[in-house]
Amino acid sequence: MRRAVLRLCALSKGVLTPRRGLTQGSQDPRKQRILNMREACPPIHVNHVRDKLREIVGASTNWRDHVKAMEERKLLHSFLAPSQKALSPRRMKDSYIEVLLPLGSEPELRENYLTVQNTVRFGRILEDLDSLGVLICYMHTKINSTKTSPLSIVTALVDKIDMCKKSLSPEQDIKFSGHVSWVGKTSMEVKMQMFQFYGDEFCPVLEATFVMVARDSENKGPAFVNPLIPESPEEEELLKEGELNKGKRIAFSTASLLKMAPSAEEKTTIHEMFLSTLDPKTISFQSRILPPNAVWMENSKLKSLEICHPQERNVFNRIFGGFLMRRAYELAWATACSFSGSRAFVVAVDDIMFEKPVEIGSLLFLSSQVCFTQNNYIQVRVHSEVASLQDKEHTTTNVFHFTFMSEKEVPLVFPRTYGESMLYLDGQRHFNAMSLPVTLKKDCF
């Protein structure tokens, strides 16, 4: 009977439309806006997603054959479209995929996703989302005339990931679904959802928006992708939302504190924080003391080092983006827990930009820091940089932003220097971009 129910739920036509921010626990998913899709095929097993990607790209499972496999991809250049107009339009349903993570029905799989608190490792979920996003884009750009795709599709940006539950049960099956929701000339926005089986249906627990880019067969230059046509008012709304998201990303980047001075309000905030740390006994700009229930930002850091082995490579023989996200998340979570002195729950991930690929054999340096706090929320920034064993020069590859919720109220974090003040304001901007809930839904599985 349980198998029959799983099968019925897996063939559901509905896809929940993502929103920005956290969702209320009392919301009924059946009342949310539905985007109709075609009758889905049976879900792909999560273990088969990367196998399908290797098959689409023509990548070898053996590291010793990777050079030969990449050389063979050069022959695919002739299949690349000279312009987007030369490509046939695609529908959203053409890229729709469902993936099953059978934690409940396959206990042997559970160990890879289990935390010491008997919940699901969110870092593993990030890996699965990254792989699924790439596969969805390959479904959108599928070429019937060749088995191997001439495109190299990579993750450019994790725009946002919003949670609506504190934690996930490791004893109930999980289902992912997603589709391409917006298309530029060489980029695609992907909407993904995650559900967990509870009672007799899959309930929504996560919504994500990724931005992928298409490159040529050697991953050296941009490549055109199929245009997207809507088939319903709901799909037209998704296309408009994708265009708005693009504009917001450009505006957010333009207003970056690395390019422009803080606003007048932000300058006032920093100055008031500075004044609150002056020692009234000395009346000196140099003498600084912390206000009650506060911590210097410089004391909220954690660091880690990873050696990038071939085991963690993607189908293009660079380090898998999901692996980078998992390592960054786990360091950020440890930072949040250490700072708060209690268990921390991730509630949002946003604005993860993949600046440069990470090569096999690199040394990966991760630096995590609490940059903003409010009540029981903790904003953590993780900076990622790489260096080769021969070259001591470090290059930034990623910056990750995570929002956590602690079980108790946390101290205020105070910057000492101008650079830390900019980190504080940047963290505040990311935090304010999230729609705060009244309550975050507790575990119900």
Side-chain angles (χ1 to χ4, degrees):
M1 180 64 182
R2 174 174 166 77
R3 290 288 184 182
V5 171
L6 282 172
R7 174 71 172 172
L8 181 62
C9 292
L11 294 178
S12 170
K13 294 182 180 180
V15 178
L16 298 175
T17 303
R19 302 171 310 284
R20 183 63 175 130
L22 301 172
T23 57
Q24 293 296 319
S26 61
Q27 286 183 328
D28 185 346
R30 289 167 293 188
K31 295 181 181 179
Q32 298 186 37
R33 187 156 56 98
I34 298 297
L35 177 65
N36 292 323
M37 289 290 170
R38 63 175 170 78
E39 190 77 9
C41 296
I44 304 168
H45 192 289
V46 70
N47 286 345
H48 297 157
V49 172
R50 295 186 76 175
D51 292 338
K52 282 186 170 292
L53 287 175
R54 291 190 188 95
E55 181 181 344
I56 291 169
V57 175
S60 172
T61 56
N62 297 318
W63 171 246
R64 63 177 179 270
D65 298 330
H66 75 280
V67 175
K68 179 182 177 182
M70 290 300 103
E71 284 294 320
E72 291 175 350
R73 284 191 58 78
K74 292 181 180 180
L75 303 176
L76 298 171
H77 268 278
S78 60
F79 291 97
L80 293 171
S83 68
Q84 190 175 44
K85 293 181 179 179
L87 295 169
S88 59
R90 297 290 162 82
R91 304 166 297 178
M92 291 188 187
K93 65 177 67 174
D94 293 331
S95 61
Y96 180 71
I97 300 175
E98 293 183 352
V99 172
L100 186 64
L101 174 57
L103 298 179
S105 49
E106 295 185 19
E108 64 278 7
L109 184 64
R110 195 179 303 156
E111 290 293 320
N112 293 332
Y113 287 81
L114 194 63
T115 71
V116 69
Q117 292 89 11
N118 198 40
T119 60
V120 174
R121 292 174 62 182
F122 185 70
R124 291 291 189 192
I125 298 301
L126 290 175
E127 290 185 319
D128 292 337
L129 287 172
D130 192 52
S131 295
L132 175 59
V134 175
L135 182 57
I136 286 171
C137 290
Y138 273 120
M139 293 299 100
H140 175 82
T141 58
K142 185 177 180 181
I143 299 176
N144 295 325
S145 59
T146 176
K147 181 180 178 181
T148 305
S149 175
L151 299 178
S152 301
I153 296 175
V154 296
T155 306
L157 171 72
V158 177
D159 190 34
K160 58 185 177 182
I161 300 175
D162 296 320
M163 295 290 294
C164 59
K165 284 188 174 64
K166 279 188 175 181
S167 56
L168 304 174
S169 168
E171 298 178 357
Q172 300 292 338
D173 287 358
I174 286 174
K175 183 179 72 172
F176 301 92
S177 66
H179 62 91
V180 171
S181 57
W182 174 87
V183 167
K185 289 186 177 180
T186 62
S187 60
M188 293 163 280
E189 183 182 87
V190 177
K191 299 285 190 187
M192 291 176 283
Q193 301 80 35
M194 187 173 80
F195 310 85
Q196 185 155 49
F197 197 72
Y198 177 64
D200 60 351
E201 64 180 347
F202 279 100
C203 300
V205 295
L206 176 150
E207 300 171 343
T209 303
F210 282 42
V211 177
M212 307 291 183
V213 294
R215 313 270 295 170
D216 61 28
S217 54
E218 296 182 78
N219 198 10
K220 291 183 178 180
F224 294 106
V225 298
N226 302 71
L228 185 65
I229 53 174
E231 292 187 304
S232 68
E234 290 82 6
E235 292 186 1
E236 289 179 358
E237 285 298 316
L238 279 181
L239 279 177
K240 291 179 182 177
E241 181 185 331
E243 198 64 36
L244 286 173
N245 288 340
K246 177 185 176 182
K248 290 177 182 178
R249 287 191 289 268
I250 294 173
F252 197 85
S253 175
T254 302
S256 168
L257 292 166
L258 293 172
K259 300 176 182 178
M260 294 184 64
S263 66
E265 183 180 357
E266 290 173 330
K267 290 177 181 178
T268 300
T269 297
I270 292 301
H271 189 64
E272 288 178 350
M273 293 183 74
F274 172 76
L275 292 179
S276 69
T277 64
L278 294 181
D279 189 348
K281 296 179 181 180
T282 61
I283 316 179
S284 168
F285 289 126
Q286 299 297 323
S287 182
R288 309 279 298 278
I289 59 172
L290 276 170
N293 192 35
V295 175
W296 291 120
M297 188 184 290
E298 64 188 15
N299 296 329
S300 66
K301 294 180 180 180
L302 286 180
K303 295 184 178 182
S304 71
L305 168 67
E306 299 285 342
I307 301 174
C308 299
H309 295 291
Q311 180 184 6
E312 306 300 342
R313 72 189 186 277
N314 61 17
V315 292
F316 305 113
N317 295 301
R318 303 279 178 74
I319 290 297
F320 173 42
F323 170 78
L324 300 175
M325 286 194 285
R326 173 164 65 88
R327 289 305 196 197
Y329 164 76
E330 290 175 350
L331 183 63
W333 178 83
T335 303
C337 291
S338 176
F339 180 85
S340 65
S342 65
R343 186 177 171 189
F345 303 89
V346 64
V347 293
V349 181
D350 78 310
D351 197 29
I352 298 178
M353 182 72 74
F354 289 80
E355 298 283 356
K356 295 181 181 297
V358 178
E359 302 291 342
I360 305 297
S362 300
L363 296 178
L364 176 67
F365 298 88
L366 295 173
S367 178
S368 178
Q369 184 170 25
V370 175
C371 55
F372 179 81
T373 59
Q374 180 175 300
N375 300 326
N376 62 333
Y377 288 94
I378 308 168
Q379 189 71 34
V380 181
R381 180 182 189 270
V382 181
H383 180 260
S384 167
E385 56 186 17
V386 295
S388 67
L389 291 171
Q390 297 78 26
D391 187 359
K392 295 182 180 180
E393 183 178 350
H394 289 208
T395 303
T396 297
T397 59
N398 304 85
V399 177
F400 306 84
H401 301 275
F402 302 97
T403 307
F404 294 93
M405 184 179 70
S406 175
E407 292 179 318
K408 60 183 182 181
E409 191 164 323
V410 299
L412 297 173
V413 64
F414 271 72
R416 271 188 188 270
T417 66
Y418 187 82
E420 287 181 345
S421 297
M422 294 304 100
L423 286 178
Y424 179 90
L425 293 178
D426 186 60
Q428 185 181 55
R429 288 182 178 185
H430 282 92
F431 180 78
N432 289 339
M434 179 187 68
S435 301
L436 289 179
V438 177
T439 57
L440 186 64
K441 189 170 182 179
K442 295 183 179 179
D443 306 343
C444 66
F445 298 120

